[in-house]
Short mmCIF file of all heavy atoms in Angstrom, two decimals:
data_model
loop_
_atom_site.label_atom_id
_atom_site.label_comp_id
_atom_site.label_asym_id
_atom_site.label_seq_id
_atom_site.Cartn_x
_atom_site.Cartn_y
_atom_site.Cartn_z
N PRO E 14 3.53 5.55 -0.72
CA PRO E 14 3.82 4.41 0.15
C PRO E 14 4.49 3.27 -0.67
O PRO E 14 4.13 3.05 -1.84
CB PRO E 14 2.46 3.93 0.61
CG PRO E 14 1.52 5.06 0.35
CD PRO E 14 2.10 5.87 -0.76
N LYS E 15 5.46 2.66 -0.06
CA LYS E 15 6.18 1.57 -0.69
C LYS E 15 6.10 0.37 0.23
O LYS E 15 6.24 0.49 1.44
CB LYS E 15 7.66 1.98 -0.90
CG LYS E 15 7.81 3.17 -1.80
CD LYS E 15 9.17 3.82 -1.61
CE LYS E 15 9.17 5.23 -2.15
NZ LYS E 15 8.42 6.20 -1.34
N PHE E 16 5.90 -0.81 -0.33
CA PHE E 16 5.75 -2.02 0.45
C PHE E 16 6.71 -3.08 -0.05
O PHE E 16 6.85 -3.33 -1.20
CB PHE E 16 4.31 -2.60 0.32
CG PHE E 16 3.26 -1.61 0.72
CD1 PHE E 16 2.60 -0.85 -0.23
CD2 PHE E 16 2.91 -1.47 2.05
CE1 PHE E 16 1.59 0.05 0.17
CE2 PHE E 16 1.97 -0.57 2.44
CZ PHE E 16 1.30 0.20 1.46
N VAL E 17 7.38 -3.71 0.91
CA VAL E 17 8.24 -4.87 0.60
C VAL E 17 7.71 -6.03 1.43
O VAL E 17 7.65 -5.92 2.67
CB VAL E 17 9.73 -4.60 0.90
CG1 VAL E 17 10.55 -5.87 0.63
CG2 VAL E 17 10.27 -3.46 0.08
N GLU E 18 7.28 -7.09 0.79
CA GLU E 18 6.73 -8.23 1.47
C GLU E 18 7.35 -9.50 0.95
O GLU E 18 7.77 -9.59 -0.18
CB GLU E 18 5.21 -8.29 1.29
CG GLU E 18 4.53 -7.02 1.84
CD GLU E 18 3.02 -7.05 1.61
OE1 GLU E 18 2.63 -7.25 0.44
OE2 GLU E 18 2.28 -6.84 2.56
N TRP E 19 7.36 -10.52 1.79
CA TRP E 19 7.88 -11.85 1.43
C TRP E 19 6.80 -12.54 0.65
O TRP E 19 5.63 -12.63 1.04
CB TRP E 19 8.25 -12.64 2.66
CG TRP E 19 8.73 -14.02 2.34
CD1 TRP E 19 8.06 -15.17 2.57
CD2 TRP E 19 9.98 -14.41 1.80
NE1 TRP E 19 8.78 -16.25 2.13
CE2 TRP E 19 9.96 -15.80 1.63
CE3 TRP E 19 11.08 -13.66 1.29
CZ2 TRP E 19 11.05 -16.51 1.12
CZ3 TRP E 19 12.14 -14.39 0.80
CH2 TRP E 19 12.14 -15.77 0.70
N SER E 20 7.17 -13.11 -0.48
CA SER E 20 6.29 -13.99 -1.31
C SER E 20 6.64 -15.43 -1.02
O SER E 20 7.68 -15.91 -1.46
CB SER E 20 6.43 -13.69 -2.77
OG SER E 20 5.77 -14.69 -3.53
N GLU E 21 5.77 -16.06 -0.27
CA GLU E 21 6.03 -17.47 0.08
C GLU E 21 6.00 -18.35 -1.21
O GLU E 21 6.75 -19.27 -1.37
CB GLU E 21 4.96 -17.98 1.06
CG GLU E 21 5.22 -19.34 1.62
CD GLU E 21 6.55 -19.44 2.39
OE1 GLU E 21 6.89 -18.49 3.13
OE2 GLU E 21 7.23 -20.44 2.25
N GLU E 22 5.12 -17.96 -2.15
CA GLU E 22 4.97 -18.68 -3.37
C GLU E 22 6.25 -18.64 -4.19
O GLU E 22 6.72 -19.66 -4.74
CB GLU E 22 3.81 -18.13 -4.20
CG GLU E 22 3.57 -18.83 -5.53
CD GLU E 22 2.41 -18.19 -6.29
OE1 GLU E 22 1.57 -17.53 -5.67
OE2 GLU E 22 2.38 -18.42 -7.52
N ASP E 23 6.87 -17.42 -4.30
CA ASP E 23 8.07 -17.25 -5.13
C ASP E 23 9.37 -17.34 -4.35
O ASP E 23 10.43 -17.38 -4.94
CB ASP E 23 8.00 -15.89 -5.84
CG ASP E 23 6.75 -15.78 -6.74
OD1 ASP E 23 6.45 -16.75 -7.45
OD2 ASP E 23 6.11 -14.71 -6.69
N LYS E 24 9.26 -17.32 -3.03
CA LYS E 24 10.42 -17.45 -2.13
C LYS E 24 11.38 -16.26 -2.35
O LYS E 24 12.60 -16.45 -2.38
CB LYS E 24 11.15 -18.78 -2.31
CG LYS E 24 10.32 -20.02 -2.13
CD LYS E 24 9.91 -20.14 -0.72
CE LYS E 24 9.23 -21.51 -0.50
NZ LYS E 24 8.14 -21.46 0.44
N ILE E 25 10.83 -15.06 -2.54
CA ILE E 25 11.61 -13.85 -2.71
C ILE E 25 10.82 -12.70 -2.06
O ILE E 25 9.64 -12.77 -1.78
CB ILE E 25 11.88 -13.50 -4.16
CG1 ILE E 25 10.59 -13.38 -4.97
CG2 ILE E 25 12.85 -14.48 -4.83
CD1 ILE E 25 10.76 -12.85 -6.40
N PHE E 26 11.53 -11.58 -1.84
CA PHE E 26 10.88 -10.36 -1.41
C PHE E 26 10.40 -9.62 -2.66
O PHE E 26 11.04 -9.57 -3.69
CB PHE E 26 11.86 -9.45 -0.65
CG PHE E 26 12.17 -9.99 0.71
CD1 PHE E 26 13.37 -10.68 0.94
CD2 PHE E 26 11.27 -9.81 1.79
CE1 PHE E 26 13.65 -11.14 2.20
CE2 PHE E 26 11.60 -10.29 3.05
CZ PHE E 26 12.76 -10.95 3.23
N VAL E 27 9.17 -9.06 -2.51
CA VAL E 27 8.58 -8.28 -3.63
C VAL E 27 8.28 -6.90 -3.13
O VAL E 27 7.68 -6.69 -2.08
CB VAL E 27 7.27 -8.95 -4.10
CG1 VAL E 27 6.63 -8.12 -5.21
CG2 VAL E 27 7.55 -10.36 -4.58
N GLY E 28 8.75 -5.92 -3.87
CA GLY E 28 8.55 -4.48 -3.53
C GLY E 28 7.60 -3.84 -4.54
O GLY E 28 7.77 -4.04 -5.73
N GLN E 29 6.61 -3.08 -3.98
CA GLN E 29 5.64 -2.44 -4.84
C GLN E 29 5.34 -1.03 -4.35
O GLN E 29 5.49 -0.73 -3.18
CB GLN E 29 4.30 -3.23 -4.83
CG GLN E 29 4.43 -4.63 -5.39
CD GLN E 29 3.13 -5.37 -5.31
OE1 GLN E 29 2.44 -5.36 -4.28
NE2 GLN E 29 2.75 -5.99 -6.42
N CYS E 30 4.93 -0.22 -5.27
CA CYS E 30 4.47 1.14 -4.99
C CYS E 30 3.14 1.29 -5.75
O CYS E 30 3.06 1.90 -6.81
CB CYS E 30 5.49 2.18 -5.49
SG CYS E 30 5.01 3.87 -5.05
#
Side-chain angles (χ1 to χ4, degrees):
K15 299 160 199 70
F16 302 97
V17 176
E18 298 176 310
W19 177 253
S20 169
E21 190 60 40
E22 180 181 339
D23 300 317
K24 305 291 187 215
I25 57 173
F26 288 99
V27 177
Q29 298 178 312
C30 183

